[in-house]
Amino acid sequence: MNENVIAMLISGIGETLYMTLGSVIIGYIIGLPLGILLYVSGKNGLRPCMPLYRALDFICNIIRSIPFLILLILLIPFTRLLVGQSYGSTATIVPLVVCAAPYIARVVEASLTDVDAGVIEAAKAMGASNMQIICKVLLVEAKTSLITGFTITTGLLLGYSAMSGTVGGGGLGDIAVRYGYYRWQTDIMVITVILLIIIFQIIQTAGMKISKKLDHRKR
Amino acid sequence: MAAVEIKNLTKNFDIEGHAVTALSNVSLTIEKGDIFGVIGMSGAGKSTLVRSINFLEKPTDGSVYIEGVDLGTLSERELRRMRSRIGMIFQNFNLLEQKNVIDNVCFPLEINGTKRKEAKKRALELLGLVKLEDKAKAYPSQLSGGQKQRVAIARALATDPQLLLCDEATSALDPQTTGSILELIREINEKLGITVVIITHQMSVVTDICKKVAIIDNGRLVEEGLVEEIFSAPKSDAARELLSGKKVSYKPLEKLEEGRRIRIVFRENSAYEPVIANLILKLQIPINILKAETQNVGGKAVGEMILGLPDNSNQQEDIILELKNAGLTVTEVHENE
Ligand SMILES: Nc1ncnc2c1ncn2[C@@H]1O[C@H](COP(=O)(O)OP(=O)(O)OP(=O)(O)O)[C@@H](O)[C@H]1O
Ligand SMILES: [Mg+2]
């Protein structure tokens, strides 16, 4: 295999990681507070507020029901407005975040809902404020399930970042499509697929290990 | 000033549009330093009552005073400060599973802004009190039920409360562990002078440790008074049911019909005397002992016995007279099934 191809694959890995991690991080910056808000305003939340909950719930469901590829195309004007261009890996982060944030919000909400109501009650009885309950009880007690959610979300975004390659998003997916599909260089396509699988496995294994290690519930 | 004063407390829950009354017009005074029991069947409203004492449940009507302060007049912030001075323990312990024992005990101090170092020192002291110093670094999942409740007690005491609320604190524990937890609660009450409110559905818990008891039935306060008195002469059906574990009623004794049963309660001195043996020897009448039990009620030995009497009504009269002369409380037992 010539050096150009190797250099291209390495930069492809870099771009893929950049898109995945970038979108996960920005996704969590938006999705985590959103998920907490969903939990807090929900029926059994700390401060139920059904109009707010229904509005957030509706927005999340709408975005999540749009297939990613269509979202990618729908968002082109918005992406251009935000980053100045609609192709390349930075531009791809925009639709990835839009797709990920509501998903993350749901995952976070589910993790928080799993926290034992009795523990929250005990914290209330100690005089904890809602903010203290969120930061010191909910996020702490739910940490292993939050990490599991983070791992699954990262895996999902790795896949979506590869998908965005089909429309010139950069990264390993882009390489696979350009060489494998348009030029019939199956060997390069197979390599990129193997690389994607390896990255996916590393993320999954590390995430699950960390989550298990931090869990003090049973041992 | 009373530690807790509940005035005309009513609590309705709204379940799918229609109101369910969990408590109706309950008034109760709990004096400082008491161990006060609240007992009732499942669903009677005990938890709702205890949750109203620290306003985790806001009353639909009526008021709650803690050391003279009307909780209804407090702002959210003041209410939180008030709660931080009321300890509470639960049936399921409700420890933070991801924090170790010492951090659990420190938690209420972390909430009220105590410095970490100070909090740790206090937590270690309390772990000494509940005899769990060696478990400071353990996680709740590594502890037994009794140990978990000890941690919960230490945690509840961290902020130096004057009042400790216990909602079915021993219901998830075996009898032996229950005994040791109740012993610890008694010790805390005596040593630290903390007023204790104990919610339970087990009469044995009340007779073991409480001085006074209130009986809640179907959201209403049906009987209240010294444990000793209610134990020997229960007035409400609910109290009788809780005492016997069955739907029975003890009627004031008038004329016994054939084959009837009576319940006698021995107090202090007579509990150690062979009253029944003496009776049988004296009257030469066979008596059937259906149930007999001696319990520690408020530190005094109190015995309870259910006797089946012979059919002859003259003999019955003789027996009852003899028992009454021996200083026993006698009531008639009816089964309501
Ligand atoms: N949050 C709630 N929403 C609706 N109804 C409730 C709520 N909490 C309690 N209730 C109702 O109020 C009544 C009293 O409940 P409570 O939990 O106080 O009973 P309890 O005496 O503690 O029973 P248990 O011994 O089973 O714990 C029950 O009929 C219950 O269904
Ligand atoms: Mg209850």
Side-chain angles (χ1 to χ4, degrees):
Chain A
M1 207 183 303
N2 79 37
E3 274 168 36
N4 285 346
V5 172
I6 292 176
M8 180 182 71
L9 284 174
I10 287 174
S11 82
I13 292 173
E15 279 168 18
T16 291
L17 290 178
Y18 168 68
M19 284 187 287
T20 309
L21 293 179
S23 58
V24 162
I25 290 165
I26 302 172
Y28 264 86
I29 290 173
I30 299 167
L32 183 68
L34 207 59
I36 293 172
L37 209 55
L38 272 169
Y39 172 82
V40 171
S41 64
K43 204 168 85 204
N44 300 314
L46 291 174
R47 193 186 282 178
C49 173
M50 285 329 272
L52 176 64
Y53 181 82
R54 288 208 192 90
L56 294 176
D57 185 56
F58 181 73
I59 296 169
C60 283
N61 286 346
I62 290 287
I63 298 177
R64 287 202 311 142
S65 59
I66 303 173
F68 177 68
L69 266 181
I70 294 176
L71 195 69
L72 196 71
I73 295 160
L74 272 178
L75 284 172
I76 285 176
F78 177 66
T79 307
R80 202 171 274 151
L81 194 78
L82 222 60
V83 282
Q85 59 182 42
S86 64
Y87 52 89
S89 35
T90 305
T92 307
I93 290 180
V94 177
L96 281 176
V97 167
V98 173
C99 162
Y103 181 84
I104 292 168
R106 278 279 177 246
V107 171
V108 168
E109 185 197 7
S111 295
L112 299 185
T113 307
D114 269 354
V115 174
D116 181 11
V119 180
I120 298 165
E121 165 123 340
K124 279 189 191 161
M126 288 171 208
S129 65
N130 285 348
M131 206 57 192
Q132 284 173 319
I133 292 177
I134 292 168
C135 299
K136 292 171 192 274
V137 179
L138 286 170
L139 292 179
V140 175
E141 288 295 289
K143 74 181 169 194
T144 57
S145 117
L146 286 171
I147 292 170
T148 309
F150 182 88
T151 310
I152 294 170
T153 309
T154 311
L156 183 86
L157 287 176
L158 178 70
Y160 281 2
S161 82
M163 206 193 284
S164 72
T166 52
V167 290
L172 290 174
D174 199 13
I175 295 171
V177 171
R178 268 192 286 139
Y179 288 80
Y181 187 72
Y182 293 119
R183 297 193 200 166
W184 296 100
Q185 294 191 349
T186 319
D187 51 345
I188 293 185
M189 186 165 86
V190 169
I191 290 171
T192 56
V193 169
I194 290 173
L195 283 172
L196 280 171
I197 292 173
I198 292 172
I199 295 173
F200 186 86
Q201 286 301 329
I202 291 172
I203 292 169
Q204 289 293 310
T205 315
M208 293 305 169
K209 271 227 170 87
I210 293 169
S211 146
K212 207 163 186 182
K213 183 142 195 179
L214 290 177
D215 193 0
H216 296 294
R217 274 173 304 185
K218 36 198 145 344
R219 191 164 290 173
Chain B
M1 199 185 300
V4 180
E5 204 176 346
I6 297 168
K7 282 192 189 158
N8 306 318
L9 182 75
T10 295
K11 176 73 192 184
N12 297 330
F13 287 107
D14 185 70
I15 300 177
E16 282 153 20
H18 52 91
V20 172
T21 304
L23 289 174
S24 128
N25 203 20
V26 173
S27 294
L28 205 59
T29 302
I30 300 171
E31 298 298 339
K32 263 187 201 164
D34 264 356
I35 302 186
F36 195 101
V38 175
I39 186 167
M41 295 295 173
S42 181
K46 307 177 298 285
S47 295
T48 309
L49 180 67
V50 75
R51 290 161 49 82
S52 301
I53 295 180
N54 59 5
F55 255 46
L56 281 179
E57 211 73 84
K58 304 230 161 97
T60 310
D61 209 0
S63 29
V64 176
Y65 297 82
I66 304 286
E67 306 206 344
V69 178
D70 182 353
L71 296 190
T73 63
L74 301 182
S75 68
E76 270 303 312
R77 179 184 287 264
E78 289 167 328
L79 192 57
R80 287 204 301 271
R81 193 163 317 136
M82 176 61 92
R83 280 192 194 128
S84 80
R85 289 191 281 120
I86 302 175
M88 191 167 188
I89 58 173
F90 308 84
Q91 176 169 3
N92 299 321
F93 324 121
N94 294 349
L95 299 176
L96 294 144
E97 298 280 325
Q98 304 288 10
K99 284 184 188 280
N100 64 16
V101 165
I102 186 122
D103 287 344
N104 262 286
V105 180
C106 284
F107 191 67
L109 297 169
E110 191 183 331
I111 293 286
N112 78 6
T114 309
K115 286 210 186 65
R116 176 86 187 139
K117 217 174 139 196
E118 225 171 283
K120 266 218 151 129
K121 194 169 148 253
R122 172 90 183 121
L124 281 173
E125 265 170 46
L126 286 165
L127 286 181
L129 179 73
V130 300
K131 304 194 179 62
L132 278 178
E133 302 101 318
D134 52 328
K135 295 282 183 197
K137 292 272 181 263
Y139 283 87
S141 62
Q142 300 161 324
L143 302 178
S144 71
Q147 289 171 329
K148 282 185 199 169
Q149 198 59 290
R150 282 171 188 274
V151 175
I153 290 172
R155 181 175 73 174
L157 296 178
T159 50
D160 266 325
Q162 284 309 297
L163 178 63
L164 178 64
L165 308 175
C166 314
D167 189 359
E168 305 269 6
T170 57
S171 299
L173 304 173
D174 62 62
Q176 204 175 341
T177 317
T178 295
S180 74
I181 292 292
L182 292 180
E183 193 48 51
L184 176 62
I185 291 174
R186 193 200 324 266
E187 194 185 316
I188 286 163
N189 167 262
E190 281 169 4
K191 264 196 199 160
L192 310 175
I194 295 176
T195 313
V196 181
V197 180
I198 291 194
I199 303 290
T200 181
H201 63 265
Q202 295 166 297
M203 198 53 157
S204 59
V205 169
V206 170
T207 54
D208 228 29
I209 146 166
C210 299
K211 287 177 201 142
K212 286 190 195 147
V213 64
I215 294 165
I216 302 279
D217 187 30
N218 219 345
R220 286 168 196 284
L221 179 72
V222 291
E223 204 169 339
E224 187 199 346
L226 291 171
V227 173
E228 238 183 293
E229 282 165 12
I230 289 182
F231 185 82
S232 45
K235 293 189 196 78
S236 61
D237 286 345
R240 293 183 195 109
E241 200 176 326
L242 286 160
L243 274 171
S244 67
K246 258 193 281 174
K247 267 215 170 310
V248 296
S249 63
Y250 307 142
K251 291 262 173 62
L253 198 69
E254 282 166 15
K255 199 173 174 307
L256 268 185
E257 286 162 31
E258 284 177 315
R260 277 290 156 86
R261 289 181 281 166
I262 58 171
R263 172 179 186 263
I264 54 177
V265 175
F266 302 73
R267 312 289 287 275
E268 299 158 68
N269 47 351
S270 55
Y272 300 105
E273 277 172 29
V275 178
I276 302 297
N278 289 346
L279 181 78
I280 295 170
L281 288 174
K282 186 169 170 196
L283 298 178
Q284 295 291 316
I285 303 170
I287 294 172
N288 198 4
I289 300 177
L290 300 171
K291 178 191 171 191
E293 211 173 10
T294 306
Q295 290 189 42
N296 188 342
V297 178
K300 291 169 195 156
V302 174
E304 180 197 19
M305 222 180 240
I306 307 280
L307 302 179
L309 302 187
D311 291 349
N312 182 319
S313 62
N314 283 337
Q315 287 183 339
Q316 291 177 356
E317 294 305 322
D318 288 346
I319 292 168
I320 288 159
L321 190 69
E322 240 358 270
L323 289 170
K324 281 185 168 166
N325 285 343
L328 307 179
T329 318
V330 187
T331 44
E332 191 186 347
V333 180
H334 286 279
E335 233 166 283
N336 292 350
E337 257 113 9

